[in-house]
Structure formats: C-alpha cells, structure tokens
Amino acid sequence: MNPLTLAFLGTPDFALPTLRQLIAAGHAIAAVYAKPPKPRDRGQKVQASPVQAFAEEHGLPLRMPTSLKGEAEASAFQGLRLDAAVVVAYGLLLPKAFLEAPRLGCLNLHPSLLPRWRGAAPIPRAILAGDAMTGVTIMRLDEGLDSGPILLQAETPIHAAETAAGLETRLAALGADCMLETLEGLSRGALQARPQPTAGVTYAEKLNRAEGELDWRRTAAALHRRVRAFDPWPGAWFLLGGERVKVLAAEAREAPAAKPPGTVLDDRLTVACGEGAIRILTLQRAGRAPLAGEAFLRGHPIPAGTRLAVPAGAVAP
C-alpha cells in the first residue's frame, strides 16, 4: 500500500498502539490532535496526555485546540489535504467541516461491536452486563454518536477474570491492527462501508464514582463483574468503620449457608451476597498500598459474623 497522508486524533493510552502502527507502516502523519492537558491528581499539576507526550517526543506536528468549532480550525484541518483522519478516543466531537475534509473520511476506532455499546464507556459496560464477547469496530464518522457506517469489525471473548484495564489493552492492540487493515482496504477500493443495524442499539453511559460502591444485595456474580469493570476507575469499594476500602480483586463463590447480605462468613473475608458469596482477594485503604486479603486482615481483623454496611435505598440495577 502506498503511504497515506493522515491526521491522528487521540488523547489517552488506548490511542497509542494505533498511532505507533500508523508510523511503523510508513504513513505520513500531517498532524496529531490531542485534547489540551488538564490539572490532575491531588497536586493539580498539569500533565501531558499520553498522545501529547508521544507526539512531542517524536517530533510530530501537534495541535491541541480546546474546541474544533470555528472557521480557523476547519480551515487549518482542510489545509492538511488528508487522505484520511484516524480518530481513537479523542474526546472532542468533529464538526461537519472536519468530517468532510479527508478524501477517505474520518475513521474511528470504537472498542465494542457496534451498534452495541455506543457512547463513553463501552468496555466496563460490556463487563458489567456479563457480555461473553466484545470487539472493535472501525467506522466512518458521521454527526451522530457512534452511529456511522461500519467498515470493519473484529470480535474477541471477554475472559472470566478480565478487568476493564486488561480488556482495554487487548482491544487497543486489536483495533490498531484493524485500522491498518481498513486503510489498506479503502486505499485499494476493496472495502465498502455498511450502515449499522437498527436493532441491538445500546448506550454505554459514562461511569460515575457512586457506582463503585458494592451493594451486597446483588448476586456474587454481579459484584465480581463490578470489581472487574471498575478497574482502574472508579474502583469498587465498601465502607468499613466509615472508611472507604477499595476491592481490587475478588472471586465469586457459593455461599455455604444462607446469611443476610454483607455478612462476613469466615476468616478469609468471604462475604454473603444476595445470591452466593464473594471472596475479597486484594484490598486497598485510601493512601495505602494494596494488600492481599490475609495481610489486610492481620492489621484490620474482620471476624466472621461481622455485618458490612449495605447502601441505603433499593438495590441498584
């Protein structure tokens, strides 16, 4: 395939495998777009995003507008005379003038099998829902929310103990391969876009911190999925003596006897759930290092029979 002139639009770590592969394949990166950095962490220090840091390290032309609206930004983008724009978790919506500028369109890598899980958090939502399979979609962007026509898809199973962080890493690599395949197919005229099905549309709403609280009235299987889905953010947690304790790893088990949800069943931190039980394997107090369950209990005993707090109100879905 002859090298193409591309713009790359992305911000987080998830975008880097695709950018690296585009460069390795010999494509010309006319511009890299990333969201401008924001203050992060407790010190509120401004930190470059992974894509910004990569572009600066490799001397790539970098643009970080706060908005793509306006004639000046559209004119600058059109002046790149692009074959295609590659978009991976950029974080800003592309106006119509951007969508129409590249010869082959603006191609987006989305980490789900569209039309399932359109929106902001497809990876954790797939785990939360108990999906057995997921994958990546390369689509040509339109003005809707992840509604553009599909160019290529690849599926992969969600492993039983896989976290959102681990699945994201796998999908980033799979998506990078698919993006290269898509560009090759489009450049040869061998790939045609197809509209997304109207059936099976679901939306992956943005995660919020409150979702991380473990409600022991849920089933053990559902709680295990929450621990996996909320790694790394917002983290699954429960209250212990008024303090939030994060649960970094757990496993679902059968309950030896029916006990009220939240009851600690043994000296290994197995907790009764609405159905079954969950054994907490790794925990972390705020500002402390993660600890295996046994090590945590040596410093903070939670004897069998302890009732862990259940959130107020009806059990959340």
Side-chain angles (χ1 to χ4, degrees):
M1 176 178 59
N2 292 326
L4 300 175
T5 299
L6 306 174
F8 183 84
L9 298 87
T11 301
D13 281 317
F14 181 77
L16 286 179
T18 299
L19 179 54
R20 289 192 181 102
Q21 287 227 38
L22 294 175
I23 294 170
H27 295 299
I29 308 298
V32 171
Y33 282 71
K35 285 188 70 177
K38 293 182 178 180
R40 298 176 62 184
D41 303 326
R42 292 184 179 180
Q44 291 294 288
K45 293 182 179 179
V46 175
Q47 298 181 18
S49 71
V51 168
Q52 176 190 345
F54 182 92
E56 291 174 343
E57 180 183 349
H58 292 81
L60 300 173
L62 177 64
R63 295 181 62 86
M64 294 188 293
T66 56
S67 171
L68 299 180
K69 297 177 181 178
E71 188 174 332
E73 286 296 337
S75 178
F77 192 75
Q78 292 162 349
L80 297 174
R81 300 187 180 278
L82 301 171
D83 292 308
V86 173
V87 185
V88 186
Y90 176 40
L92 293 177
L93 293 176
L94 273 60
K96 185 176 181 180
F98 277 68
L99 298 176
E100 294 178 345
R103 177 174 63 88
L104 299 173
C106 296
L107 314 180
N108 177 243
L109 162 58
H110 187 78
S112 81
L113 296 174
L114 291 171
R116 186 161 178 79
W117 301 127
R118 294 177 180 175
I123 294 174
R125 294 298 177 195
I127 294 175
L128 279 176
D131 291 359
M133 300 292 294
T134 187
V136 296
T137 300
I138 309 296
M139 63 176 170
R140 184 175 281 123
L141 283 174
D142 61 14
E143 293 184 87
L145 176 62
D146 299 329
S147 58
I150 294 170
L151 290 158
L152 190 69
Q153 289 184 310
E155 65 178 24
T156 186
I158 299 177
H159 303 317
E162 194 162 32
T163 65
L167 181 56
E168 179 178 297
T169 298
R170 289 205 298 120
L171 293 180
L174 178 62
D177 291 339
C178 288
M179 185 61 74
L180 286 185
E181 185 177 345
T182 299
L183 288 169
E184 182 175 0
L186 286 175
S187 67
R188 293 190 292 107
L191 192 61
Q192 297 295 321
R194 55 184 173 85
Q196 289 190 34
T198 56
V201 175
T202 59
Y203 289 92
E205 295 182 5
K206 187 177 181 180
L207 300 179
N208 64 74
R209 291 185 184 276
E211 288 185 271
E213 185 173 12
L214 296 176
D215 189 333
W216 308 112
R217 294 170 294 181
R218 290 189 172 96
T219 67
L223 287 172
H224 185 224
R225 291 197 297 269
R226 296 184 90 76
V227 172
R228 294 161 47 218
F230 296 151
D231 175 3
W233 195 90
W237 56 273
F238 65 95
L239 287 176
L240 181 64
E243 178 186 3
R244 285 192 183 192
V245 178
K246 276 191 174 183
V247 177
L248 305 180
E251 60 184 13
R253 307 178 70 87
E254 292 186 6
K259 296 285 185 179
T263 303
V264 178
L265 300 175
D266 56 23
D267 60 358
R268 299 184 63 187
L269 206 47
T270 305
V271 184
C273 304
E275 179 183 312
I278 190 164
R279 177 166 292 168
I280 300 174
L281 302 177
T282 309
L283 306 87
Q284 184 179 23
R285 296 174 63 200
R288 305 295 181 87
L291 291 173
E294 293 180 0
F296 184 92
L297 290 174
R298 284 197 293 269
H300 302 82
I302 309 176
T306 300
R307 289 287 300 278
L308 300 177
V310 172
V315 61

